[in-house]
Amino acid sequence: MAWEEWEQLKAQAADRHSTRMQLNQYPADQGGGSTQGDLVVGHKDLEQVGQAAHDLFGHFTTYSGHARVASEAAAGGLKGEGFALGGALEHVTERWSEQTKSLLDACAHISNHLRYTKNQHAADDSYIAGAVSSIATLDKGFDDRKGH
C-alpha cells in the first residue's frame, strides 16, 4: 500500500467517524442535585461494539501479519547487504509485533467481555422471570386459600 493511499484511507475514515461521537453536557446554570446523565446504551449498541472489536481482531490479524512478514523480509535483505537500516527495520518490526499483540489482546478482551456480559444478562433475566413467576404462583395460591 502506497503512503498516499494510506493517508487517503485515514482521511476517509476520519470523515466517516467525525460526527459519530458526541459528548453531551448539561448547561452550567442548570439546577438540581441529580447526577443522572442522559447517556443510554442498549443491547444493540453493545453488540455493535463487540462485533466491531471482533471484526478488527480478524482483519488486523490478517493485515498486520502481512506487514510483519514483508518487513522482516525487507530487514533481512537490507541486513544481508550490509545496510544499517536493516537492523533498524528489524527493531521496528519487533516493536510492531509487540504492539500488534497488545491491540489484538485488547480487541479480544472487549469482544469476549461484551459476549460474557450479554450472556450473563440473559441468564439474569431468565432467573428474575422465574423468580417473579414463582412469586406470582405463590401469591395466587395464597389468594385462593383466603377465598378470593
Side-chain angles (χ1 to χ4, degrees), residues 11-24:
Q12 288 172 350
D15 289 342
R16 281 195 310 265
H17 292 45
S18 64
T19 59
R20 277 199 158 164
M21 177 184 261
Q22 291 183 337
L23 298 177
N24 296 328

Side-chain angles (χ1 to χ4, degrees), residues 52-68:
H54 183 267
D55 292 347
L56 178 60
F57 182 90
H59 294 136
F60 194 71
T61 298
T62 301
Y63 298 127
S64 68
H66 295 312
R68 182 187 47 77

Side-chain angles (χ1 to χ4, degrees), residues 10-92:
K10 284 186 353 185
Q12 288 172 350
D15 289 342
R16 281 195 310 265
H17 292 45
S18 64
T19 59
R20 277 199 158 164
M21 177 184 261
Q22 291 183 337
L23 298 177
N24 296 328
Q25 68 184 57
Y26 289 109
D29 62 346
Q30 186 171 8
S34 174
T35 59
Q36 182 69 25
D38 62 353
L39 178 63
V40 177
V41 178
H43 290 290
K44 186 175 180 180
D45 298 321
L46 294 176
E47 287 176 15
Q48 289 176 343
V49 170
Q51 187 62 48
H54 183 267
D55 292 347
L56 178 60
F57 182 90
H59 294 136
F60 194 71
T61 298
T62 301
Y63 298 127
S64 68
H66 295 312
R68 182 187 47 77
V69 169
S71 297
E72 286 173 348
L78 288 167
K79 278 179 76 173
E81 295 296 322
F83 289 98
L85 181 60
L89 183 55
E90 185 176 65
H91 176 77
V92 169

Side-chain angles (χ1 to χ4, degrees), residues 3 7 16 27 31 35 38 40 50-51 54 57 70 75-76 78 80-81 104 109-110 117 125-126 132 145-147:
W3 184 258
E7 290 298 324
R16 281 195 310 265
T35 59
D38 62 353
V40 177
Q51 187 62 48
H54 183 267
F57 182 90
L78 288 167
E81 295 296 322
L104 292 174
H109 181 75
I110 290 166
T117 301
D125 287 347
S126 178
V132 168
R145 285 188 298 246
K146 288 176 35 177

Side-chain angles (χ1 to χ4, degrees), residues 106-144:
C107 289
H109 181 75
I110 290 166
S111 180
N112 292 340
H113 180 73
L114 289 173
R115 185 178 303 114
Y116 169 81
T117 301
K118 177 184 173 186
N119 292 338
Q120 187 61 47
H121 281 283
D124 290 347
D125 287 347
S126 178
Y127 172 79
I128 291 168
V132 168
S133 177
S134 68
I135 291 170
T137 302
L138 287 174
D139 194 33
K140 182 179 179 335
F142 180 71
D143 287 345
D144 288 345

